[in-house]
Amino acid sequence: MRMLHTSDWHLGRSFHRVSLLEAQAAYLDHLVAAVREHDVDVVLVAGDIYDRAVPPLTAVELFDTALHRLADAGVPTVMISGNHDSGRRLGVAAGLIERAGIHLRTDPAGAGTPVLLADTHGDVAFYGFPYLEPALVRDQFGADRAGHESVLTAAMARVRADLAGRPPGTRSVVLAHAFVAGGAPSDSERDITVGGVAAVPSGVFDGVDYVALGHLHGSQTITERIRYSGSPLAYSFSEAGHRKTMWLVDLDGDGTVRAERIDCPVPRPLARLRGRLDDLLADPALDRHEDAWVEATLTDPVRPADPMARLTERFPHTLSLLFDPERPDDETGASYARRLRDRDDQQVAEDFVAHVRGGAGPDDQERAALLRAFDDVRVDMARREVTG
Ligand SMILES: [Mn+2]
């Protein structure tokens, strides 16, 4: 069984106000071409089809075109919703679309009900988990607590129970949208932290032959059988070093997995430049970035005049301009942005408490109250997305 694994299309997303619709259309052309060229048996799309619960019409039209073209190519597709999608909106007409061989799994209730596809060695059972928001599915799954590990463990119990009733040798594949421990995040994933723990141990997925993950935007291999395809396009400058690909995975009759990467088209490379403005404008080594989308961090001690206008003379596609002035005595003068870097909401709030109380940080009760407040906000946001 030859599978093509992709995720995190984020149709409708723009990059620093530049529309990516054409680049997304070019990626989908590439996907359909790869399906034909490599004789793919099934396409797996692991969530975040859209960037938002209510995507713009142009994105919906692009998705519609993609569905038609995948159906025309005659290759079955299994697709789940991610944390950016509204599962219920995406799932409209899923039953009808299924008749064309596109299996949209957006309802948590279907987690233990596979799509069965056969090759010469027998059946492969594909279980699609839509993104499981712990607070919303905990009761339905009988999970022991409202955390990512608990609800995914419960969903996997359904998978194992279903597999136990199938002929021995039935191979299995799970699609999930989650943060699996060992994975490296970038700046363009929306935080799914609840209760302080977003990462799920990879052992949760033990026993299945392949796990097609979505959520993290960099391609990565957690284990031979558990992989992230990453997004087909860069959605933040933190992805400047990524190589954007899909996984072409061969699942043999005995469950052996072989995977290789297929490169995605690059609409325009990314470059992160740092230095004083005059140096950035003069350095011949930067010639190769003149056509790139550029994020420039200026380190001039005094902010230069018209920096954007001057930068775009050399780098016409400069999209992001940051200032991080060099200072002799660093920490006291560190910028607010620098002090917040690498800190999550909880840490920022705890630092704030310490700051306004002359150094006395929150005690255990106060810390727990802050944690609850952030969780409530996140759950409320997730709920609005599901119902709104
Ligand atoms: Mn995503």
Side-chain angles (χ1 to χ4, degrees):
M1 180 76 59
R2 176 166 277 189
M3 312 182 284
L4 187 61
H5 165 195
T6 172
S7 75
D8 296 274
W9 296 352
H10 288 267
L11 301 181
R13 187 170 183 133
S14 54
F15 185 65
H16 293 267
R17 292 184 303 282
V18 173
S19 168
L20 289 178
L21 208 68
E22 266 180 50
Q24 290 174 329
Y27 162 68
L28 293 170
D29 289 346
H30 168 74
L31 169 71
V32 174
V35 163
R36 295 181 192 274
E37 183 189 336
H38 297 282
D39 230 344
V40 167
D41 296 313
V42 58
V43 174
L44 309 177
V45 190
D48 284 356
I49 309 299
Y50 290 124
D51 191 52
R52 288 186 248 148
V54 184
L57 184 58
T58 47
V60 180
E61 287 170 342
L62 192 54
F63 179 61
D64 181 66
T65 306
L67 291 183
H68 279 89
R69 295 179 64 192
L70 286 168
D72 288 347
V75 58
T77 298
V78 186
M79 205 178 266
I80 58 172
S81 46
N83 60 312
H84 281 250
D85 299 305
S86 160
R88 285 166 67 179
R89 279 178 189 275
L90 190 63
V92 167
L96 278 175
I97 293 169
E98 187 144 34
R99 295 189 199 173
I102 313 270
H103 308 274
L104 259 171
R105 294 304 164 111
T106 60
D107 182 357
T113 308
V115 175
L116 290 175
L117 300 172
D119 60 13
T120 51
H121 306 285
D123 277 347
V124 180
F126 293 85
Y127 300 88
F129 299 173
Y131 170 66
L132 301 174
E133 177 60 46
L136 300 185
V137 300
R138 175 194 177 167
D139 292 343
Q140 179 186 353
F141 279 76
D144 52 6
R145 56 183 293 271
H148 288 287
E149 184 176 352
S150 288
V151 296
L152 279 169
T153 299
M156 281 302 301
R158 295 188 175 191
V159 167
R160 293 192 186 96
D162 180 80
L163 272 175
R166 297 193 178 275
T170 301
R171 288 156 293 158
S172 56
V173 173
V174 164
L175 290 86
H177 196 86
F179 187 170
V180 173
S186 64
D187 286 347
S188 59
E189 297 112 15
R190 186 186 295 156
D191 190 7
I192 56 168
T193 308
V194 170
V197 185
V200 172
S202 58
V204 160
F205 298 106
D206 278 354
V208 295
D209 294 300
Y210 187 72
V211 182
L213 292 173
H215 183 53
L216 299 182
H217 288 178
S219 170
Q220 41 207 305
T221 301
I222 305 294
T223 72
E224 278 306 298
R225 297 181 184 280
I226 305 179
R227 295 169 192 265
Y228 282 98
S229 63
S231 56
L233 295 164
Y235 291 120
S236 68
F237 276 103
S238 71
E239 294 155 72
H242 286 184
R243 175 183 158 206
K244 296 299 188 184
T245 56
M246 304 180 279
W247 285 114
L248 185 67
V249 182
D250 280 312
L251 177 61
D252 289 351
D254 62 358
T256 307
V257 162
R258 273 170 298 131
E260 64 172 282
R261 294 172 78 176
I262 298 186
D263 286 284
C264 298
V266 178
R268 194 178 283 288
L270 305 187
R272 289 182 123 171
L273 310 182
R274 180 180 178 87
R276 297 192 179 198
L277 179 58
D278 287 341
D279 295 339
L280 296 186
L281 294 178
D283 186 352
L286 302 182
D287 282 354
R288 62 198 176 94
H289 298 307
E290 287 178 354
D291 246 355
W293 276 321
V294 165
E295 177 187 79
T297 303
L298 300 185
T299 59
D300 302 71
V302 176
R303 190 177 291 214
D306 292 329
M308 194 59 161
R310 294 177 62 198
L311 264 174
T312 50
E313 275 177 30
R314 181 173 189 194
F315 307 101
H317 305 286
T318 302
L319 298 181
S320 171
L321 182 56
L322 306 168
F323 297 94
D324 189 13
E326 298 159 11
R327 286 174 206 270
D329 48 350
D330 213 27
E331 272 320 297
T332 48
S335 70
Y336 187 64
R338 180 186 294 184
R339 278 185 280 134
L340 292 190
R341 196 176 297 161
D342 298 327
R343 284 168 181 266
D344 63 20
D345 295 342
Q346 178 76 12
Q347 286 170 311
V348 171
E350 291 185 14
D351 289 351
F352 176 76
V353 173
H355 175 71
V356 297
R357 280 205 309 223
D363 61 23
D364 286 349
Q365 271 189 334
E366 290 167 334
R367 190 170 290 123
L370 285 170
L371 203 58
R372 268 199 310 279
F374 282 121
D375 280 355
D376 285 349
V377 170
R378 287 190 196 101
V379 167
D380 188 55
M381 282 167 61
R383 202 166 267 147
R384 273 167 211 274
E385 234 155 63
V386 169
T387 56

